[in-house]
């Protein structure tokens, strides 16, 4: 499907976005999370742990039972994550053909009927069709739900604790109200989208956010650079992050191919931060200072974020937060490694208000930290 790329220079305003949806409103909504002023810069109050697809993504072929514990991107998973000391959960939002934002990661839904496996693109389903897959809210069985791995293997989507598919509105209405939402605007990497289509999708999502968001902290993010730029242009209430693999994969759109390109996208479009695959940061640690010099926030995602030592190293590097699958384990590790400083306690990592202190871990000198930053790219086999 070859579609025309979007241009953001001439985008109409959204009728439903309130006239008073200003940046100043945002700081009053985010008592626990990031703060944004009229200059669109950030103040992160602490190192943040964000639950990936709620309490963690599902890896159906994994031997680790924790990766199959709770259905990802479900109300059950979101509220399970909320039991731990996190500020945000991250989840994927797509829009059905009848303009309803739903929460689902994969581009296609797979199912089996009378021995035949079929797949349907999520965005080509209407809401009622989407919701009929998997367990139903009434307790009855829905259509079977399968999943295709990156290697092409098709598996039954079996988890220990299953739950129904849900909409973005469901999440706003049924998830612990103090928990922030990192809403990933999900698009297919293999499609170049028309401007009108992107506007329609973003319009539907923003409508739900403004109608049901109340005081909940919200962050938008997207791997699709034009969608990220558009959602920033269409509203100024919520911060927008550009998602990138940080050079781990090469795409036709050069804006997606490095942290340096991500910085350019953010500065040119007035975005507030970058979410990078963690290996992209470890392979290019010098980019962290460039991002900070540009007054951008930096979060990371990836498997290494389920390793407490890798998370601790990122804190030392000045990264603002991590998106993780093992929510309980990493929040416990962060609580143990890093805590707000108190008068009379051990030496802290930074000076000033809100300084962070290391508990039962060695302090690194600048020379030692510099050595580690040079060593890490070799350790992860550049």
């Amino acid at each position: 499907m070859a579609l025309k790329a979007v241009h953001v220079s001439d985008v109409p305003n959204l009728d439903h976005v309130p006239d008073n949806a200003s940046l100043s409103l945002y700081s009053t909504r985010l008592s626990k999370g990031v703060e944004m002023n009229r200059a669109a810069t950030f103040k992160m109050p602490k190192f943040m742990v964000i639950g990936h697809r709620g309490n963690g993504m599902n890896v159906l072929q994994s031997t680790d039972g924790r990766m199959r514990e709770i259905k990802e991107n479900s109300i059950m998973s979101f509220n399970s994550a909320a039991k731990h000391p996190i500020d945000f959960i991250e989840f994927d939002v797509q829009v059905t053909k009848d303009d309803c934002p739903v929460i689902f990661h994969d581009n296609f839904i797979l199912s089996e009927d009378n021995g035949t496996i079929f797949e349907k693109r999520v965005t080509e389903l209407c809401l009622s069709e989407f919701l009929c897959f998997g367990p139903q809210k009434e307790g009855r069985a829905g259509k079977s739900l399968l999943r295709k791995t990156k290697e092409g293997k098709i598996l039954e989507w079996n988890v220990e604790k299953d739950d129904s598919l849900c909409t973005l509105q469901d999440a706003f209405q049924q998830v612990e109200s103090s928990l922030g939402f990192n809403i990933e605007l999900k698009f297919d990497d293999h499609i170049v989208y028309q401007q009108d289509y992107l506007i329609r999708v973003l319009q539907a999502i923003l409508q739900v956010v403004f109608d049901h968001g109340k005081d909940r902290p919200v962050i938008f993010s997207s791997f699709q650079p034009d969608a990220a730029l558009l959602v920033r242009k269409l509203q100024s209430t919520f911060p927008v992050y550009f998602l990138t693999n940080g050079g781990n994969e090469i795409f036709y759109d050069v804006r997606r191919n490095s942290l340096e390109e991500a910085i350019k996208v953010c500065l040119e479009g007035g975005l507030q931060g970058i979410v990078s695959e963690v290996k992209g940061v470890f392979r290019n640690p010098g980019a962290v200072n460039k991002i900070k010099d540009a007054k951008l926030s930096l979060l990371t995602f990836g498997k290494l974020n389920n390793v407490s030592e890798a998370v601790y190293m990122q804190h030392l590097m000045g990264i603002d937060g991590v998106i993780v699958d093992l929510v309980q384990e990493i929040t416990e590790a962060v609580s143990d490694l890093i805590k707000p400083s108190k008068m009379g306690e051990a030496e802290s990592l930074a000076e000033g208000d809100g300084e962070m202190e290391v508990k039962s871990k060695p302090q690194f000198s600048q020379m030692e930290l510099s050595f580690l930053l040079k060593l890490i790219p070799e350790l992860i086999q550049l």
Side-chain angles (χ1 to χ4, degrees):
M1 177 161 139
L3 301 176
K4 182 180 177 183
V6 63
H7 298 284
V8 301
S9 58
D10 188 20
V11 179
N13 292 323
L14 297 182
D15 293 336
H16 66 271
V17 178
D19 293 335
N20 62 348
S22 65
L23 291 177
S24 60
L25 174 64
Y26 187 76
S27 62
T28 67
R29 309 181 91 169
L30 255 180
S31 59
K32 291 178 59 183
V34 296
E35 293 182 3
M36 187 164 72
N37 59 27
R38 290 184 180 274
T41 58
F42 274 106
K43 179 182 178 182
M44 286 284 186
K46 63 178 181 176
F47 184 80
M48 295 204 303
V49 178
I50 300 169
H52 187 210
R53 304 183 199 171
N55 202 52
M57 68 181 291
N58 295 150
V59 183
L60 303 178
Q61 68 274 28
S62 174
T63 57
D64 188 340
R66 294 173 297 181
M67 308 305 289
R68 303 186 307 277
E69 183 180 359
I70 306 174
K71 171 70 72 61
E72 70 176 37
N73 278 336
S74 68
I75 301 299
M76 183 186 296
S77 183
F78 300 157
N79 282 324
S80 178
K83 296 176 182 178
H84 303 286
I86 62 173
D87 292 292
F88 282 83
I89 52 171
E90 178 272 352
F91 53 78
D92 312 273
V93 172
Q94 305 183 57
V95 174
T96 60
K97 71 177 182 180
D98 52 350
D99 295 331
C100 182
V102 296
I103 300 177
F104 197 76
H105 173 270
D106 301 357
N107 294 317
F108 294 90
I109 278 188
L110 277 72
S111 188
E112 183 177 0
D113 185 23
N114 294 324
T116 300
I117 295 175
F118 64 89
E119 65 178 17
K120 295 185 177 180
R121 185 177 289 277
V122 172
T123 54
E124 293 177 356
L125 299 172
C126 65
L127 177 61
S128 60
E129 291 173 317
F130 172 78
L131 293 177
C132 74
F133 293 95
Q136 301 297 290
K137 294 180 180 179
E138 302 82 6
R140 58 186 175 83
K143 294 182 180 179
S144 66
L145 192 57
L146 311 177
R147 192 174 212 180
K148 183 183 292 186
T149 69
K150 289 184 177 180
E151 296 74 30
K153 187 176 181 180
I154 296 176
L155 303 172
E156 292 186 16
W157 202 322
N158 291 329
V159 292
E160 183 179 332
K161 300 175 183 177
D162 211 344
D163 198 13
S164 306
L165 301 182
C166 65
T167 67
L168 180 59
Q169 182 174 333
D170 290 335
F172 275 111
Q173 294 175 337
Q174 300 176 35
V175 175
E176 165 61 42
S177 61
S178 63
L179 189 62
F181 285 174
N182 174 3
I183 299 175
E184 180 183 336
L185 308 168
K186 183 74 176 179
F187 296 93
D188 192 326
D189 290 340
H190 305 291
I191 294 177
V192 179
Y193 291 95
Q194 291 180 349
Q195 172 177 317
D196 289 347
Y197 178 82
L198 284 177
I199 293 172
R200 179 176 69 82
V201 167
L202 297 176
Q203 200 166 25
I205 294 170
L206 286 172
Q207 184 74 62
V208 173
V209 173
F210 278 102
D211 285 350
H212 302 281
K214 298 182 179 178
D215 293 329
R216 188 186 300 273
V218 172
I219 291 172
F220 291 113
S221 62
S222 186
F223 283 104
Q224 220 289 347
D226 293 321
L229 293 169
L230 269 172
V231 78
R232 177 69 183 96
K233 189 166 186 176
L234 293 173
Q235 59 81 45
S236 57
T237 302
F238 304 107
V240 180
Y241 281 58
F242 181 45
L243 273 159
T244 177
N245 281 291
N248 292 311
E249 297 179 56
I250 300 302
F251 297 89
Y252 177 77
D253 190 333
V254 296
R255 295 173 295 178
R256 301 186 59 183
N257 289 341
S258 70
L259 288 170
E260 286 75 15
E261 287 294 331
I263 293 171
K264 291 180 184 178
V265 170
C266 290
L267 293 180
E268 292 171 3
L271 309 188
Q272 285 76 41
I274 294 169
V275 185
S276 173
E277 211 287 334
V278 60
K279 286 185 179 179
V281 175
F282 280 161
R283 285 173 171 154
N284 184 12
V288 175
N289 283 337
K290 296 178 183 177
I291 292 168
K292 293 301 178 181
D293 289 344
K295 300 188 184 305
L296 297 171
S297 173
L298 176 60
L299 307 173
T300 67
F301 69 94
K303 292 180 180 179
L304 279 177
N305 282 353
N306 295 319
V307 179
S308 59
E309 291 82 0
V311 171
Y312 176 65
M313 188 65 200
Q314 291 178 70
H315 167 65
L316 291 178
M317 294 169 67
I319 290 167
D320 296 303
V322 290
I323 299 173
V324 308
D325 294 300
L326 305 182
V327 172
Q328 178 177 346
E329 290 80 354
I330 298 302
T331 53
E332 289 176 353
V334 167
S335 177
D336 186 53
L337 294 171
I338 307 166
K339 67 176 185 178
S341 64
K342 296 179 181 178
M343 294 299 293
E345 292 188 346
E347 181 182 357
S348 61
L349 283 173
E351 296 180 355
D353 294 336
E355 55 192 3
M356 308 303 284
E357 175 196 71
V358 179
K359 177 181 178 183
S360 303
K361 286 292 177 180
Q363 299 283 341
F364 293 102
S365 68
Q366 284 300 116
M367 183 177 295
E368 290 168 333
L369 185 56
S370 177
F371 172 76
L372 285 171
L373 292 177
K374 292 178 181 177
L375 181 63
I376 286 172
E378 300 297 329
L379 293 178
I380 63 172
Q381 299 177 352
L382 232 180

